[in-house]
């Protein structure tokens, strides 16, 4: 089970940020790094991650300062603009065991390119 209370520097997205393992970059600025999901669930499936160490959305909402939060959210909008997702998209962040989080570094899934299916599978 993943630990989302203590940040683990060895998680795969920390390694991607340090360029220790490759990724297909879509966008980068001072606050975020965005790259293609290795196992896409839609024609567009991008992961947007902060460049600071937050385990999950929970951790981020408690610890990130206001400036970082704003810039993080604005960065997602910049990516949406850059990819011209004019027909819409879905943003998902999974938290912990019940949320189905596999990687303990905050990430938003940005899904688009077709009408995304049911919000929750049973
Ligand atoms: P989650 O279940 O919300 O933690 O999502 C983790 C996501 O990371 C999954 O959609 C995986 O396909 C994706 N993933 C895992 N390893 C990599 C990798 N090396 N490069 C890109 N995406 C990855």
């Amino acid at each position: 089970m993943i630990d989302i209370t203590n940040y683990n520097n060895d998680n795969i997205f920390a390694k991607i940020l340090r360029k220790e393992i490759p990724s297909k970059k879509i966008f980068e600025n001072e606050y975020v790094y965005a790259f293609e999901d290795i196992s896409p669930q839609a024609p567009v499936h991008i992961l947007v991650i902060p460049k600071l160490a937050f385990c999950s959305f929970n951790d981020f909402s408690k610890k990130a300062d206001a400036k970082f939060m704003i810039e993080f959210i604005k960065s997602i909008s910049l990516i949406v603009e850059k990819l011209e997702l004019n027909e819409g998209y879905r943003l998902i962040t999974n938290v912990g065991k019940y949320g189905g989080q596999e990687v303990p570094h905050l990430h938003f899934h940005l899904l688009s390119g077709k009408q995304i299916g049911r919000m929750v599978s049973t």
Side-chain angles (χ1 to χ4, degrees):
M1 197 195 306
I2 61 161
D3 180 354
I4 56 158
T5 48
N6 301 295
Y7 188 80
N8 177 354
N9 272 311
D10 289 331
N11 79 75
I12 200 152
F13 293 170
K15 290 180 181 174
I16 284 176
L17 280 175
R18 294 195 296 266
K19 313 278 188 230
E20 290 168 11
I21 59 170
S23 61
K24 290 191 181 160
K25 178 167 115 174
I26 297 293
F27 177 90
E28 181 172 19
N29 64 16
E30 192 182 335
Y31 306 96
V32 310
Y33 183 69
F35 55 102
E36 289 181 5
D37 195 292
I38 206 166
S39 176
Q41 305 298 307
V44 175
H45 188 169
I46 309 298
L47 296 169
V48 187
I49 66 176
K51 286 190 170 176
L52 295 180
F54 300 109
C55 302
S56 69
F57 183 73
N58 215 41
D59 200 27
F60 172 79
S61 60
K62 283 184 187 153
K63 296 181 188 160
D65 69 29
K67 162 98 174 149
F68 192 90
M69 281 186 183
I70 291 166
E71 297 299 339
F72 182 79
I73 290 167
K74 282 178 180 266
S75 299
I76 295 176
S77 288
L78 290 176
I79 296 164
V80 166
E81 270 177 36
K82 180 180 173 182
L83 298 179
E84 299 181 346
L85 304 180
N86 304 322
E87 302 294 329
Y89 57 90
R90 183 170 294 163
L91 262 184
I92 300 172
T93 188
N94 297 320
V95 180
K97 180 181 169 188
Y98 280 10
Q101 184 179 1
E102 291 171 1
V103 180
H105 181 111
L106 172 64
H107 49 284
F108 277 80
H109 298 256
L110 174 58
L111 298 147
S112 188
K114 69 168 190 182
Q115 191 155 8
I116 308 299
R118 287 166 59 94
M119 190 153 71
V120 177
S121 64
T122 49

